[in-house]
Amino acid sequence: MEKQDFVTIADLSEDQLLYLISMAEEFERHPNRELLKGKVVATLFFEPSTRTQLSFQTAANRLGARVIGFSDAKTSSTTKGETLKDTILMVSNYADVIVMRHYIEGAAQYASEVAPVPIVNAGDGAHMHPSQCLLDIYSIYKTQGTLNNLNIYLVGDLRYGRTVHSLIMAMRHFNPTFHFIAPKELAMPEEYKLYCRQHNIRYVEHTQFTEEEIADADILYMTRVQKERFSDLMEYERVKNVYILKADMLKNAKPNMKVLHPLPRVNEIAYDVDDNPHAYYIQQAKNGLYAREAIYCYCLGISLDEVKNDKTII
């Protein structure tokens, strides 16, 4: 079987995305199986993570795989000067699939070019976060009943936010209208606006974040201003609290509107939103388990029919 990586959402067709959503639905019905019994998953996290790392590890465990790896590059041989190539080749001797988060943009793509086993990109710098994107579109599909013709508002750090960059690419198949709400320092990069124009994706840019501005949203996707991406901490201090969602801003929200966030949050969603019926970010994180179970099967050649006909449900 040809090696199947999961490095960028941009390469996936509409049919492939819907196929993965259908697979995630199957895993939500029955998450505990032994489809990966005898397999070894390596999780290599060169950058800190909580939800992504734990959900990938949990997904592997719930499918019967064993997990190896590290959560701090300081405990790996990279501190001795080992190259990324050598680390990937070495770990490929032990694992059937490698899940990797790295602080350098393009690191996952490079790893996929040298690794003999599938590479799953768990985030590379400010570039891509395709597994987060899959759970995002699964969450959108679950809450809206469709992916088509939605008003999606992206708020906060659109410059460095790899989750919103991936979401734009994934939604290109479904005729969205995007609203980019960000201060000029964190505006959507020109390359992604160019991508929208090339793919006939409608978008509107805003700097105001008010109850009136967001009243027409189907999805309100909040993002954290990422301190770790700033070389100038004074710039970070200027923009870190510029947009804060509070419960009273949701009074005029559409009934179907859901608030998403890739987490962790800092100050951008007030705690009084948590009990609001529009809040969905905790459930969204839970959906990551099912999406990542689907990604493992996709990379290891286990089909949707095999998942549906699986007799190893625990």
Side-chain angles (χ1 to χ4, degrees), residues 88-217:
I88 294 299
L89 290 175
M90 181 273 296
V91 175
S92 296
N93 289 325
Y94 312 137
D96 298 285
V97 59
I98 295 173
V99 179
M100 187 180 85
R101 169 170 284 193
H102 205 282
Y103 50 86
I104 296 176
E105 295 183 17
Q109 180 62 45
Y110 173 74
S112 73
E113 292 168 0
V114 301
V117 301
I119 296 292
V120 178
N121 182 5
D124 60 330
H127 185 222
M128 284 284 155
H129 200 342
S131 71
Q132 176 71 43
C133 185
L134 183 61
L135 77 90
D136 289 344
I137 63 172
Y138 182 51
S139 298
I140 293 170
Y141 178 78
K142 280 188 65 177
T143 61
Q144 305 301 310
T146 183
L147 292 172
N148 294 305
N149 307 314
L150 297 174
N151 289 321
I152 301 176
Y153 286 60
L154 307 178
V155 183
D157 185 356
L158 309 187
R159 178 181 178 185
Y160 299 113
R162 58 193 173 194
T163 61
V164 296
H165 301 161
S166 293
L167 188 60
I168 287 171
M169 293 182 172
M171 291 300 296
R172 72 190 184 278
H173 304 293
F174 305 107
N175 194 39
T177 298
F178 281 108
H179 292 256
F180 302 151
I181 303 179
K184 59 180 175 39
E185 296 93 337
L186 297 176
M188 184 65 69
E190 188 59 36
E191 64 186 283
Y192 293 104
K193 291 188 283 185
L194 176 60
Y195 184 91
C196 287
R197 294 192 292 271
Q198 289 173 336
H199 291 83
N200 297 314
I201 300 170
R202 293 182 299 277
Y203 71 88
V204 182
E205 294 188 272
H206 311 257
T207 56
Q208 297 299 311
F209 182 53
T210 65
E211 177 184 338
E212 293 73 26
E213 289 282 352
I214 63 175
D216 197 39

Side-chain angles (χ1 to χ4, degrees), residues 216-230:
D216 197 39
D218 297 304
I219 294 294
L220 182 63
Y221 195 106
M222 303 295 298
T223 65
R224 172 177 66 95
V225 177
Q226 302 175 74
K227 183 178 182 180
E228 64 271 24
R229 306 289 178 214
F230 284 78

Side-chain angles (χ1 to χ4, degrees), residues 217-249:
D218 297 304
I219 294 294
L220 182 63
Y221 195 106
M222 303 295 298
T223 65
R224 172 177 66 95
V225 177
Q226 302 175 74
K227 183 178 182 180
E228 64 271 24
R229 306 289 178 214
F230 284 78
S231 57
D232 182 350
L233 289 182
M234 291 295 290
E235 182 182 16
Y236 168 74
E237 291 295 328
R238 282 197 304 273
V239 299
K240 67 177 183 178
N241 292 323
V242 67
Y243 300 137
I244 299 175
L245 179 66
K246 299 177 180 177
D248 62 5
M249 296 173 65

Side-chain angles (χ1 to χ4, degrees), residues 54-67:
L54 289 178
S55 67
F56 266 118
Q57 291 176 344
T58 303
N61 285 321
R62 289 192 181 276
L63 290 176
R66 299 178 183 180
V67 179

Side-chain angles (χ1 to χ4, degrees), residues 233-295:
L233 289 182
M234 291 295 290
E235 182 182 16
Y236 168 74
E237 291 295 328
R238 282 197 304 273
V239 299
K240 67 177 183 178
N241 292 323
V242 67
Y243 300 137
I244 299 175
L245 179 66
K246 299 177 180 177
D248 62 5
M249 296 173 65
L250 299 174
K251 294 193 299 288
N252 294 324
K254 295 163 67 173
N256 62 297
M257 192 276 272
K258 294 299 180 186
V259 179
L260 303 186
H261 191 305
L263 301 177
R265 69 170 156 186
V266 183
N267 300 317
E268 61 280 354
I269 299 179
Y271 285 101
D272 66 359
V273 177
D274 291 359
D275 296 324
N276 190 287
H278 295 291
Y280 193 75
Y281 31 89
I282 302 302
Q283 297 95 317
Q284 176 190 1
K286 185 177 182 180
N287 291 338
L289 170 63
Y290 317 125
R292 287 165 176 137
E293 287 184 296
I295 290 169

